[in-house]
Amino acid sequence: MTWDSTEASLRARLPEATIYNRDFDSQAAHTVGVLRWGGARLMPFGSARVRLMRRGGLPTGVLVVEHIDNPAATCPTEWDAFADCAKRLEEERRALVDSLAETLRRRYGPGRVDPHLGSDEVEGQDPRQFALSWTRPGYTLELGTGQEPSGHSEWTVRLMAIRDPECPFL
């Protein structure tokens, strides 16, 4: 997958995925949109949601791959069972972040730490939320984990390649 991937190429590459293609502005020159697909099996993420942002019908240079878990939706409701399930999901999330971070550190160096990733929590209040970033020629890689700001029960492990830091979806 690249910043220039098309809906057709993604459908061919990820036939099991549900593809969602949406524009958010009717003025063609200023249209912002997202090509999103979910249910794709991408290692090491497992089931992943992927988003490719665009403006004016052209890719903007923001590619996001994320693993999402939601203990409120997937764990049993009985308290002890819920707590065990939520803890297991957190451990799996941490292992995924650690694995991805190690790979990126070996390749690009230590990375810059940000104690906050897309959440309503005050920065630094939740140690489970953070982002690491690596500045590369022409783009930035960002790896992080935290709660989705729009769905407070959803946790994400997100890897983003960003060429367009002004993209309205960041």
Side-chain angles (χ1 to χ4, degrees), residues 100-115 130-136 139-144 159:
L100 291 167
E102 180 57 30
T103 299
L104 293 168
R105 284 181 181 124
R106 274 196 313 268
R107 182 172 281 179
Y108 303 119
R112 188 176 65 246
V113 177
D114 180 356
F130 72 95
L132 297 169
S133 63
W134 294 265
T135 302
R136 307 296 308 140
Y139 69 99
T140 298
L141 281 174
E142 183 174 289
L143 170 67
L159 179 60

Coordinates of all heavy atoms in Angstrom, one line a residue, residues 100-115 130-136 139-144 159:
L100 N 6.3 -3.2 17.2 CA 6.5 -2.2 16.1 C 7.5 -1.1 16.5 O 8.3 -0.8 15.6 CB 5.1 -1.5 15.9 CG 4.0 -2.4 15.2 CD1 2.7 -1.7 15.3 CD2 4.4 -2.7 13.8
A101 N 7.5 -0.7 17.7 CA 8.5 0.3 18.1 C 9.9 -0.2 18.0 O 10.8 0.5 17.5 CB 8.2 0.8 19.6
E102 N 10.2 -1.4 18.4 CA 11.5 -2.0 18.3 C 12.0 -2.1 16.8 O 13.1 -1.7 16.5 CB 11.5 -3.4 18.9 CG 12.9 -4.1 18.9 CD 14.0 -3.3 19.5 OE1 13.7 -2.5 20.5 OE2 15.2 -3.4 19.1
T103 N 11.1 -2.5 15.9 CA 11.4 -2.6 14.5 C 11.8 -1.2 14.0 O 12.8 -1.0 13.3 CB 10.2 -3.1 13.7 OG1 10.0 -4.5 14.2 CG2 10.5 -3.1 12.2
L104 N 10.9 -0.2 14.3 CA 11.2 1.2 13.9 C 12.4 1.8 14.5 O 13.2 2.5 13.8 CB 10.0 2.1 14.1 CG 8.7 1.7 13.3 CD1 7.5 2.4 13.8 CD2 9.0 2.0 11.8
R105 N 12.7 1.5 15.8 CA 13.9 2.0 16.4 C 15.2 1.4 15.8 O 16.2 2.1 15.6 CB 13.9 1.7 17.9 CG 13.0 2.5 18.7 CD 13.0 2.2 20.2 NE 12.1 3.0 21.0 CZ 11.2 2.5 21.8 NH1 11.0 1.2 21.9 NH2 10.4 3.3 22.4
R106 N 15.1 0.1 15.5 CA 16.3 -0.5 14.8 C 16.6 0.2 13.5 O 17.7 0.4 13.1 CB 16.1 -2.0 14.6 CG 16.4 -2.8 15.8 CD 16.6 -4.3 15.4 NE 15.5 -4.8 14.7 CZ 14.4 -5.4 15.2 NH1 14.2 -5.5 16.5 NH2 13.4 -5.9 14.4
R107 N 15.5 0.5 12.8 CA 15.7 1.1 11.4 C 16.0 2.6 11.4 O 16.8 3.1 10.6 CB 14.4 0.8 10.6 CG 14.5 1.3 9.2 CD 13.3 1.0 8.4 NE 13.5 -0.4 8.0 CZ 12.7 -1.1 7.2 NH1 11.6 -0.5 6.8 NH2 12.9 -2.3 6.9
Y108 N 15.3 3.4 12.3 CA 15.4 4.8 12.3 C 15.9 5.5 13.5 O 16.0 6.7 13.5 CB 14.0 5.4 12.0 CG 13.3 4.8 10.7 CD1 12.1 4.1 10.8 CD2 13.9 5.0 9.5 CE1 11.6 3.6 9.6 CE2 13.4 4.5 8.3 CZ 12.2 3.8 8.4 OH 11.6 3.3 7.3
G109 N 16.3 4.8 14.5 CA 16.8 5.4 15.7 C 15.7 5.5 16.8 O 14.6 4.9 16.7
P110 N 16.0 6.2 17.9 CA 15.1 6.1 19.1 C 13.8 6.8 18.9 O 12.8 6.4 19.6 CB 15.9 6.9 20.2 CG 17.0 7.7 19.5 CD 17.2 7.0 18.2
G111 N 13.6 7.7 18.1 CA 12.3 8.4 17.9 C 12.1 9.4 19.0 O 12.7 9.5 20.0
R112 N 11.2 10.4 18.7 CA 10.8 11.4 19.6 C 9.5 11.0 20.3 O 8.6 10.5 19.7 CB 10.5 12.7 18.8 CG 10.3 13.9 19.6 CD 10.2 15.2 18.8 NE 9.0 15.1 17.9 CZ 9.0 15.0 16.6 NH1 10.2 15.0 15.9 NH2 7.9 15.0 15.9
V113 N 9.5 11.2 21.7 CA 8.3 10.7 22.5 C 7.3 11.8 22.7 O 7.7 13.0 23.0 CB 8.8 10.2 23.8 CG1 7.6 9.7 24.7 CG2 9.8 9.0 23.6
D114 N 6.1 11.5 22.5 CA 5.0 12.5 22.8 C 4.1 11.7 23.8 O 3.6 10.6 23.4 CB 4.2 12.8 21.6 CG 3.1 13.8 21.8 OD1 2.8 14.1 23.0 OD2 2.4 14.2 20.9
P115 N 3.8 12.2 25.0 CA 3.0 11.4 26.0 C 1.5 11.5 25.7 O 0.7 11.2 26.6 CB 3.4 12.1 27.3 CG 3.6 13.5 26.9 CD 4.3 13.4 25.6
F130 N 0.6 7.2 24.4 CA 1.8 7.9 24.0 C 2.0 7.8 22.5 O 1.4 6.9 21.8 CB 3.1 7.4 24.7 CG 3.5 6.0 24.2 CD1 4.5 5.9 23.3 CD2 2.9 4.9 24.7 CE1 4.8 4.6 22.8 CE2 3.2 3.6 24.3 CZ 4.2 3.5 23.3
A131 N 2.9 8.5 21.9 CA 3.3 8.4 20.5 C 4.8 8.5 20.4 O 5.4 9.3 21.1 CB 2.6 9.4 19.7
L132 N 5.4 7.8 19.4 CA 6.8 8.0 19.1 C 6.7 8.4 17.6 O 5.9 8.0 16.8 CB 7.5 6.6 19.1 CG 7.6 6.0 20.5 CD1 8.1 4.5 20.3 CD2 8.6 6.8 21.4
S133 N 7.7 9.3 17.2 CA 7.7 9.8 15.9 C 9.1 9.8 15.4 O 10.1 10.0 16.1 CB 7.0 11.1 15.7 OG 7.7 12.1 16.4
W134 N 9.3 9.6 14.1 CA 10.5 9.6 13.4 C 10.4 10.5 12.2 O 9.5 10.3 11.3 CB 10.9 8.2 12.9 CG 11.2 7.3 14.0 CD1 12.5 7.0 14.6 CD2 10.3 6.5 14.8 NE1 12.3 6.1 15.6 CE2 11.0 5.7 15.7 CE3 8.9 6.3 14.7 CZ2 10.4 4.8 16.6 CZ3 8.3 5.4 15.6 CH2 9.0 4.7 16.5
T135 N 11.2 11.5 12.1 CA 11.2 12.4 10.9 C 12.1 11.8 9.8 O 13.3 11.5 10.1 CB 11.7 13.8 11.3 OG1 10.9 14.3 12.3 CG2 11.7 14.7 10.1
R136 N 11.5 11.6 8.7 CA 12.2 11.0 7.5 C 12.2 12.0 6.4 O 11.4 13.0 6.4 CB 11.4 9.7 7.1 CG 11.2 8.7 8.2 CD 12.4 8.1 8.8 NE 13.3 7.6 7.7 CZ 14.6 7.7 7.7 NH1 15.2 8.2 8.7 NH2 15.3 7.2 6.7
Y139 N 8.6 13.0 4.9 CA 7.5 12.5 5.7 C 7.9 12.2 7.1 O 9.0 12.2 7.5 CB 6.8 11.3 5.0 CG 7.7 10.0 5.1 CD1 7.4 9.0 6.0 CD2 8.7 9.8 4.2 CE1 8.2 7.9 6.1 CE2 9.5 8.6 4.2 CZ 9.2 7.7 5.2 OH 10.0 6.5 5.2
T140 N 6.8 11.9 7.9 CA 7.0 11.6 9.3 C 6.3 10.3 9.6 O 5.2 10.1 9.1 CB 6.4 12.7 10.3 OG1 7.1 13.9 10.0 CG2 6.6 12.3 11.7
L141 N 6.9 9.4 10.3 CA 6.3 8.2 10.8 C 5.9 8.4 12.3 O 6.7 9.0 13.0 CB 7.2 7.0 10.8 CG 7.5 6.3 9.4 CD1 8.6 5.3 9.6 CD2 6.2 5.7 8.9
E142 N 4.7 8.0 12.6 CA 4.2 8.2 14.0 C 3.6 6.8 14.4 O 2.7 6.3 13.7 CB 3.2 9.3 14.1 CG 2.8 9.5 15.6 CD 2.0 10.7 15.8 OE1 2.5 11.8 15.7 OE2 0.8 10.6 16.0
L143 N 4.0 6.3 15.6 CA 3.4 5.1 16.2 C 2.9 5.5 17.5 O 3.6 6.2 18.3 CB 4.5 4.1 16.3 CG 4.1 2.8 17.1 CD1 3.0 2.0 16.4 CD2 5.4 2.0 17.4
G144 N 1.7 5.1 17.8 CA 1.2 5.5 19.1 C 0.0 4.6 19.6 O -0.5 3.8 18.8
L159 N -0.3 3.4 13.4 CA 1.0 3.7 12.7 C 0.6 4.6 11.5 O -0.2 4.2 10.7 CB 1.7 2.4 12.2 CG 3.0 2.6 11.4 CD1 4.0 3.4 12.2 CD2 3.5 1.3 10.9

